[in-house]
Structure formats: C-alpha cells, structure tokens
Amino acid sequence: MTAAQPVDPTTTAAWARLTELAGLAPDLRGWFAQDPGRADRFTHDVGDLRVDLSKNLVTDDVLAALLELAEQTGVAARRDAMLAGERVNVTEDRAVLHTALRLPRDADLVVDGQDVVADVHEVLGRVYAFAEKVRSGEWTGVTGERIRTVVNIGIGGSDLGPVMAYEALAPYHHPEIECRFISNIDPTDAATTLAGLDPATTLFIVASKTFGTLETLTNARLCRSWLLDGLRSAGALGAAAGGEGDAVARHFVAVSTALDKVADFGIDPDNAFGFWDWVGGRYSLDSAIGTSLVVAIGPERFGELLAGMHAVDVHFRDAPPERNVPLQLGLLNVWYGDFLGAATHAVLPYAQLLHRFPAYLQQLTMESNGKGVRWDGSPVTAGTGEVFWGEPGTNGQHAFYQLIHQGTRLIPADFIAFANPAYPLVDGDVDVHEMFLANFFAQTRALAFGKTADEVRAEGTAEAVVPARVFSGNRPTTSIMAPALTPSVLGQLVALYEHVTFTQGVVWGIDSFDQWGVELGKQLAQELTPAVGGDADALEAQDASTRALVAYYREHRA
Ligand SMILES: O=P(O)(O)OC[C@H]1O[C@](O)(CO)[C@@H](O)[C@@H]1O
C-alpha cells in the first residue's frame, strides 16, 4: 500500500478554529499569572529529555485545536504506516524505515518478506567488528602502523549527521584516533583537511548512499591520489604486497546502498558496509553512514545512541497526543508558520559541543519539508518548511538575539541545555557552567515576559530612551533540558526532531522523504562544466548573465 490521499489541512474544522484563535492577542505574562499550573501542565518528559512548552504562544484551546488538526490530517495513521514499512515515500515509491535502524535485536519487523531487523543487525555487527579492529590497532595500514586518523568523505546526510555527532560526543572519543570530514567539492576542503596527515596512518571512509554524488566521488579520487602519492614518495608503496590495489584496500572502506559501484571504485567489497533504499540520506546517521562515529566512540556508546533514538520512537508511537512531545512540537511549528506568520525557527543549543546541531537540523527539516507540492502532486495549501537556523549560546546572544528580542519578526526558538557540563571548569569560586545556564534561563524568561515601559522608567531611564529599552515579551521558546549530553541523549534529540519534521510534513500533505529540489542544480552544473572549461558552444547555450559570469571567471583565473 502506498498512502491515503493527503487531507487539505485548510479545509478542516481544526484549521478554522485555529484561524479564529490566532486573532487573540498572546499574553504570556497574564497566562502565567492567572494559571499557576501552566508550567507543569505544558511540561513533558520524553526519555531523558524534559521539554517545557509553557513559554509558547498557546493556550489550552490552541493546543486542543492543534491536536484536532493532527487527528483530522491523519498524522497517527501515517506514522503507523511509516513504522510498519508502508511506502510512504510516494514519489520515490519507497518505505521509510530509519526507525528500524534502532530496533533492538529481538524486535520483529518483516517488510516485503524481508526480516529487516536481522538485516540491520547483520550490518551493525560488521560495522562494529571493523570499528573494534581500527580502535584496537589490529587494522593497520600498508606499513603495518595503526590507524590514527579516519577521514569520512561524504556530503549532506553522509556528512552532516556523522560530523555533528562526532563533535557532540567529543568526551567519548578514542584517545588515539581523530576523525576528520571532507564534504565540499571546493578543493580547499580536501587540501586543508588532509594537511599534516600521514598517509600511512590514515583511513578513508567513502560514505555515499548512491555512490554517485559528484562531490564525494571527486573527493574520494583526490584522497586516493593523495594516499598513493604520499605512500610512494615515502617509499611505502612497496610494503603493500599487491601494490596500489592493496594500499587502497588497507586505507579505503565504503558505506553505500550501491555496493556494485563501490567495487567499481576499487574498494574491496569485504570492506563495504551496506544499507537500504528505505533509509533517507538525512535520516542515516544511525545506519552504516555512522561508521566514523562508531570508530570514534566505540560500539557500546553507539548502541546507547541507537537505544536513545528507539526510546523516542516508542514515545512517538505510543504516547497519547496530550503527552506526545514530537507531535506537539511539530504542531507548534505549524501554528507559528501558518497562523502567526513565522518564517524561521531558531535552534539555540546551550552546549558548545552541539555547535553543528543547527546545520544538521537544516538538512533534516528543510530538505524534508521545503516542498510546494503534496504527495499526490497537487500544490500545498499552506505555507511549508520554515527556515531553521542557530548558533550555540552564548555566542548568539552577542550576535543576533537583538532581533529575536526586539525585531519585528516572530522567531520561535528551541533552547537546549544540560544540567551537567562536559568539561566542568571554575573561575575562582564561580562554576562557569552555572553562569552559562543562568544565561539560558534568563534568555527564555526575557523573551517570554519582556520588560514594560513602566519597568524601564522605574530604573530611572530618560523618557526619550524608554521605547528603545522596552521588550514586548511574548516571544515564544521551547526549553529542552537533559541531565547530560550522552550518546543516548544525543540519539533522543535526533529522533525527536525527525518526528517533529514528520509531523509537520503529514499536516501539510508533503512527502518529507524525497528531495527532488536538489536535482536541477546538479544537472545544470554538469551541463555547465564544459562551458567553464572553455567550450564556446556550451557557453553560447547559456543565458546572458551566466555567460558573463563564466566569462569573468575565465578572464580572471590565474
Ligand atoms: O549519500 P549520497 O548519495 O552521496 O547523497 C548525499 C546527499 O545528497 C542528497 O541526495 C541531496 O543533497 C542528500 O539527500 C544526501 O544526503
């Protein structure tokens, strides 16, 4: 079965009710003052995450109408279809089963006669065995030296998830192995990432779902040349019994769904880890795409990450709507985007280790929901896919928070913080992490409750400056806290946002698992390459602006 027709959300009774409710002025000060139970009632736990929704611009009525919207657009039914392996990725005619990647070994999921759980754990076992060999030093390069650097070559979902998680879990890294990541086709990326590395102790993981991505294959070839040139000039190529082929076999592994193309590249199929077309690139951190992370943190910790994700999957599947956190967060995003006019959504981790989390979320959310047609091909009927962005606190406070506090645009923000720091440090007798958290609490409070003109005057401010120092408040935030940034908690955060994204997609009737919007640019880049290289006919076929830009490049290149 594929999928039921999408419901037009704007025709539902819930949509009409929400439109009415959107006309009421928000009043977080008043709502908190009149309702001592508000904070409690709007706070929920999911796994180790404490999620406080109370500083959002919602009343009980709004939340009830949002939950009705979910019901009237069939979110639960589609969630169940996804979890059961139905082909909910309609435009690519595929199942969507990233949740199967974190099912425990004794779970049961058979799709099209295939035991998905057995397949997942078979590959996981191979990835774990490989990672253990690298971690223990049993896996050596051609000169017999242990591997000290693992370079992941991938882009999009084959890069952003692994690099985000590698950075986030720094305290769990193997002390003698560093991971680096090459993604951009700008040759600077390969050049600077490889700088200072010793080919004899470097292992490359070519990570590409399709094994057809221009950037990744180009970078993989650059790295192969770098490896072979380096080994040759160090006189080490002779150490490889089979010459270049043996060197590539010892220094290159691959992760892909296209194992035939991996072999064509010259990578030993024994050193390739597969996954399946039902894993979307941006949902693939927990597949073999996470191999670099498994090497860095070890199988046990990676298992904890998977267990954390699974806990949130179970919550999303089983928690009643009134306590279902991903469902409610997704609906809140629809509320802000479609009813209150928000075009963007900030994600502000108060954890330096999550500095790549907003970038990771950008692909997850925007490649998933940045769509103008629904899964039946008809145009969407509401605004979709807000822009996600963010930086770690407190850096953002000294950069763009001004606009969030006093600008004219509504920017809902998720604040994420942990009770325990990864690196506890004190400044004299001040606990620096406590100072950091005080900023987290202060910001969400300031955004919610603001500062009135009378409060500003009471501080003795000159009347002319009072307006500039007023804070309107009613700037919505969600606070997400956990005891510490462990592998499990990171997994929980990732799964949380995956299901938030899914919820929004279903309300809009979008196929959140295709990404046709990246194709045109790729196609035109291929067509343009000869023109950039000097082919006059190819240049002539371009529009006037593109012709002039290419001409500029050709005139100015050294
Ligand atoms: O893993 P691959 O096949 O190299 O694709 C990389 C990325 O390219 C995209 O297909 C498009 O940007 C992403 O969805 C994907 O994560």
Side-chain angles (χ1 to χ4, degrees):
M1 183 187 146
T2 49
Q5 284 301 103
V7 173
D8 176 351
T10 64
T11 62
T12 61
W15 195 274
R17 176 77 181 127
L18 287 163
T19 307
E20 257 172 52
L21 291 166
L24 305 175
D27 180 17
L28 281 170
R29 274 191 186 222
W31 294 342
F32 270 90
Q34 291 146 22
D35 177 4
R38 181 179 170 91
D40 242 22
R41 214 170 52 258
F42 285 88
T43 296
H44 306 289
D45 288 335
V46 43
D48 299 314
L49 308 177
R50 166 67 49 90
V51 182
D52 177 359
L53 305 175
S54 67
K55 294 195 187 85
N56 280 288
L57 303 184
V58 286
T59 57
D60 293 295
D61 286 347
V62 171
L63 190 59
L66 286 170
L67 293 177
E68 276 165 31
L69 180 65
E71 206 183 308
Q72 289 165 13
T73 51
V75 174
R78 201 161 172 81
R79 173 202 63 203
D80 294 343
M82 175 179 76
L83 297 177
E86 288 180 28
R87 294 172 181 261
V88 297
N89 178 352
V90 177
T91 71
E92 295 180 326
D93 193 21
R94 288 177 183 165
V96 175
L97 278 174
H98 46 277
T99 49
L101 297 168
R102 52 259 193 166
L103 281 174
R105 192 184 289 278
D106 59 359
D108 217 9
L109 182 65
V110 176
V111 176
D112 295 336
Q114 193 63 26
D115 183 343
V116 169
V117 182
D119 290 351
V120 164
H121 282 271
E122 191 266 324
V123 174
L124 208 49
R126 291 186 57 232
V127 170
Y128 284 179
F130 162 74
E132 288 290 23
K133 279 191 196 161
V134 177
R135 288 168 64 82
S136 67
E138 186 189 334
W139 183 292
T140 59
V142 285
T143 62
E145 289 174 79
R146 66 166 298 152
I147 298 301
R148 301 206 173 273
T149 311
V150 170
V151 178
N152 187 83
I153 308 168
I155 197 164
S158 301
D159 169 74
L160 287 161
V163 75
M164 177 279 289
Y166 177 75
E167 296 287 313
L169 299 176
Y172 298 90
H173 290 176
H174 188 292
E176 292 175 67
I177 301 172
E178 182 199 3
C179 292
R180 296 189 185 187
F181 298 84
I182 299 177
S183 55
N184 202 332
I185 201 170
D186 181 339
T188 307
D189 199 7
T192 55
T193 306
L194 295 174
L197 295 184
D198 177 359
T201 60
T202 300
L203 175 77
F204 294 96
I205 301 176
V206 187
S208 175
K209 178 177 170 181
T210 55
F211 226 77
T213 303
L214 178 74
E215 289 88 339
T216 301
L217 294 186
T218 304
N219 280 323
R221 283 190 295 272
L222 288 178
C223 290
R224 187 171 54 187
S225 301
W226 174 88
L227 173 84
L228 296 175
D229 291 349
L231 290 173
R232 196 176 294 113
S233 58
L237 207 50
E244 291 190 356
D246 200 25
V248 170
R250 301 301 310 163
H251 292 267
F252 270 81
V253 302
V255 180
S256 186
T257 57
L259 297 178
D260 48 334
K261 293 187 187 162
V262 170
D264 291 347
F265 185 84
I267 295 176
D268 185 345
D270 283 347
N271 297 338
F273 307 104
F275 60 114
W276 307 271
D277 71 357
W278 41 257
V279 183
R282 52 196 175 274
Y283 298 86
S284 65
L285 162 66
D286 46 338
S287 71
I289 287 291
T291 298
S292 55
L293 183 66
V294 186
V295 172
I297 66 172
E300 198 181 327
R301 297 303 193 179
F302 192 78
E304 291 167 13
L305 177 109
L306 297 182
M309 299 179 97
H310 180 61
V312 175
D313 297 341
V314 170
H315 168 97
F316 184 50
R317 185 193 64 197
D318 294 346
E322 316 76 58
R323 282 191 289 108
N324 197 310
V325 177
L327 176 75
Q328 294 197 12
L329 286 173
L331 293 169
L332 282 172
N333 291 350
V334 172
W335 170 240
Y336 291 125
D338 289 331
F339 297 92
L340 302 188
T344 81
H345 189 109
V347 180
L348 308 167
Y350 277 64
Q352 184 60 28
L353 293 176
L354 282 181
H355 71 112
R356 293 295 287 161
F357 195 62
Y360 164 74
L361 281 185
Q362 285 181 330
Q363 188 199 14
L364 175 65
T365 59
M366 291 157 72
E367 201 171 71
S368 294
N369 286 339
K371 317 261 166 83
V373 293
R374 301 188 293 167
W375 68 67
D376 65 349
S378 62
V380 295
T381 54
T384 64
E386 64 274 44
V387 174
F388 276 76
W389 58 282
E391 282 287 326
T394 57
N395 294 358
Q397 288 176 211
H398 294 275
F400 51 77
Y401 276 37
Q402 165 68 40
L403 187 147
I404 306 181
H405 280 287
Q406 289 188 313
T408 56
R409 298 178 197 284
L410 180 71
I411 303 184
D414 297 349
F415 281 67
I416 305 171
F418 304 96
N420 294 287
Y423 302 97
L425 294 175
V426 290
D427 174 24
D429 53 6
V430 177
D431 177 331
V432 179
H433 184 65
E434 275 182 8
M435 228 195 302
F436 186 40
L437 285 187
N439 277 274
F440 166 90
F441 299 126
Q443 289 298 328
T444 56
R445 203 179 127 180
L447 288 164
F449 306 119
K451 195 174 193 180
T452 64
D454 284 345
E455 287 167 344
V456 175
R457 281 186 199 104
E459 290 174 342
T461 306
E463 195 56 35
V465 190
V466 167
R469 298 188 61 174
V470 167
F471 290 71
S472 69
N474 292 321
R475 312 246 164 178
T477 61
T478 294
S479 295
I480 302 175
M481 296 194 72
L485 183 52
T486 60
S488 169
V489 164
L490 183 68
Q492 293 171 41
L493 282 171
V494 168
L496 178 76
Y497 280 98
E498 286 178 351
H499 300 317
V500 168
T501 304
F502 172 82
T503 299
Q504 292 179 248
V506 180
V507 171
W508 291 321
I510 278 177
D511 180 345
S512 297
F513 304 101
D514 62 13
Q515 56 285 316
W516 299 106
V518 299
E519 292 304 321
L520 179 60
K522 283 190 202 170
Q523 187 192 328
L524 294 186
Q526 283 199 344
E527 279 174 35
L528 264 157
T529 303
V532 178
D535 180 324
D537 291 341
L539 187 61
E540 197 46 41
Q542 305 304 320
D543 63 275
S545 163
T546 307
R547 270 201 309 272
L549 290 167
V550 173
Y552 177 90
Y553 156 69
R554 293 195 58 80
E555 273 164 34
H556 289 83
R557 68 190 184 141

